Amino acid sequence: MGQQTTEVEPESEQRTEMDIDPTLSKESKRQREGTDNIGAFGKRTGSSDLRFFEGILPEIDGEILSEHSIEEQFSTALDNLEAVLADNRNATFGDVMKLEIQLTDPSAAEAIDHVYESRFDGVELPPRTVVGVCSLPGGADVQLDVIAAEE
């Protein structure tokens, strides 16, 4: 077997700009232009078509459903997400770009798969990340952080 080598462009000739989809809105392009316009933790500049929803819990009328099953808690958190999306310029689950699911028991991820798939029925499933956490507010077993967009 022979060795393969790859020629690397000199640093001065390397590309520094990103290819940005020309069909995106002006605000969305600004979000994607580079690190000068975005930061960690959902920070954004100016008016943007990206929406960040953090800390969505399984609660009804201020009561955390900590004694319910993980499926019921996840379904209730999705109900709450659906409500905040609707309140935010009539967005829907079809506008969700990324979903982070925080679980106190990461092995419960398989238990919520059917709820996830059924609730996003009819739309492309957004990418999701499951993160194990030690505890959540009110003794909840699940919490959602979501990025949605209007494009």
Side-chain angles (χ1 to χ4, degrees):
M1 248 166 69
Q3 289 184 323
Q4 291 183 327
T5 59
T6 304
E7 189 173 319
V8 178
E9 293 179 39
E11 197 171 314
S12 62
E13 295 177 22
Q14 287 181 351
R15 231 175 126 167
T16 58
E17 293 185 22
M18 296 172 49
D19 288 326
I20 299 174
D21 184 347
T23 64
L24 295 174
S25 68
K26 181 178 175 183
E27 292 83 8
S28 184
K29 287 179 189 175
R30 186 173 58 241
Q31 288 291 327
R32 292 164 176 81
E33 283 177 340
T35 57
D36 292 341
N37 294 311
I38 60 172
F41 312 111
K43 183 178 178 183
R44 62 181 184 230
T45 59
S47 62
S48 171
D49 56 356
L50 294 178
R51 303 289 179 244
F52 300 86
F53 304 98
E54 300 172 338
I56 299 172
L57 291 163
E59 64 180 306
I60 296 176
D61 297 326
E63 180 185 341
I64 304 293
L65 305 180
S66 59
E67 300 300 317
H68 291 77
S69 71
I70 187 65
E71 293 91 348
E72 290 175 289
Q73 288 189 47
F74 184 53
S75 184
T76 301
L78 289 173
D79 289 343
N80 294 339
L81 169 61
E82 194 168 34
V84 295
L85 286 169
D87 286 345
N88 194 314
R89 299 183 184 179
N90 294 317
T92 66
F93 281 152
D95 298 309
V96 173
M97 295 180 64
K98 179 160 186 338
L99 180 69
E100 178 180 288
I101 305 168
Q102 300 160 7
L103 296 173
T104 56
D105 180 7
S107 66
E110 288 183 36
I112 62 172
D113 277 346
H114 71 280
V115 176
Y116 175 72
E117 291 170 3
S118 69
R119 292 300 295 273
F120 285 89
D121 188 34
V123 298
E124 187 175 337
L125 290 174
R128 68 176 171 169
T129 304
V130 176
V131 178
V133 296
C134 294
S135 66
L136 290 168
D141 293 321
V142 63
Q143 176 175 276
L144 307 177
D145 288 346
V146 178
I147 301 172
E150 299 175 57
E151 292 192 5

